[in-house]
Amino acid sequence: MGRIDTEILNFIKNHPSSSSGEIHEAIGKGSFATIKRAIAALVEGGQLLAQGQTRATRYVLSPVSQLFSPIDMVIYFEKEIDEREIKDGFNFQLITEVLRDVNLFTVDETAQLQQLQEEFLDNVSHMTSAAYNKEMERLAIDLSWKSSQIEGNTYSLLETERLLKDKETAAGKPKDDATMLLNHKEALNFIIENPDYVVPLTIARVEDIHSILIKDLEVERNIRQRRMGISGTNYKPLDNEHQIREALEDMCLLINRKNNVFEKSLLALVLLSYIQAFNDGNKRTARIVSNAILIANQHCPISFRTIDSVEYKKAMLIFYEQNNISVFKKIFIEQFKFAVNTYF
């Protein structure tokens, strides 16, 4: 994409329903004919939508363009919750239409991920079974720790290792923190022992993984039946059990029909969090299901070890509020690279 295209998209993002003349004046470079050609190409490419006809034509970002448009997180979160202009309700079309035929990763991103995957396969091919299992255990400990930390767990990484390896609980820590970590390890062990469990992905399989993660915690099993809010945002998830099931079914259909394993994994990660099907444990379930998809397809799993918990939550909020996947996609790529380079 050229610089003029980017400037046009950024302008329309901040000034929706602008005319070609207004866009040309704001860009301040190139002839009017050049700007019109660029706009026409963006419309043809599906990034802009034209509203009206002839001189009255106005342009807005298409849902696909909104999905990938760059967002500066620092600037975005300078505004308080009630000041942000957001999509405050659940967007069914996001799953059934916007994400259906789009490629989530660019050609360069796909090449980068595939090269890392080939490195992983090559590295694993030279490892003994014992060495591979040792690295998988290390990754599982890191994932259990970070996934729990994102949810407010107080165990350190070292304390988590002692708990999961030696069943030694940390003094002065809540019992639920230990339970949460042990459940993560059990869920990962289950996936490793049953690598094809999420192929194809079904609502029942998602519920099973959620049940392992919330065992012995005061969390209700199965699809929630009442309204819930999410701290830090005015986004309101669905509050109807039948609609939640419909959204989950749409999500499973979308993921199962995708061919790219990285897309499948990323979609599970963001959509299970977005749907918020359970009263608690949604993001934990998303991280395990996402990894289960990678493991089922002999791809390197992700521990998320180096992601800052606040940054992870902010990236998720941007997806909730703007249906924009750009920030979270960057996290996914960075964490996949970290996993390949660190564990295998």
Side-chain angles (χ1 to χ4, degrees), residues 166-186:
D166 307 320
K167 299 297 186 287
E168 180 182 331
T169 57
K173 303 286 186 179
K175 180 183 176 182
D176 281 357
D177 281 9
T179 301
M180 183 188 293
L181 289 161
L182 290 167
N183 287 351
H184 268 87
K185 188 62 162 59
E186 183 177 343

Side-chain angles (χ1 to χ4, degrees), residues 7 34-35 56 83 88 151 169 201 207 217 222 255 261 307 326 338 342-343:
E7 290 186 19
T34 299
I35 295 297
E83 296 175 340
D88 59 358
E151 305 310 315
T169 57
L201 187 64
E207 289 181 302
L217 296 171
N222 303 323
I255 291 173
V261 175
I307 184 63
S326 62
F338 172 81
T342 302
Y343 302 104

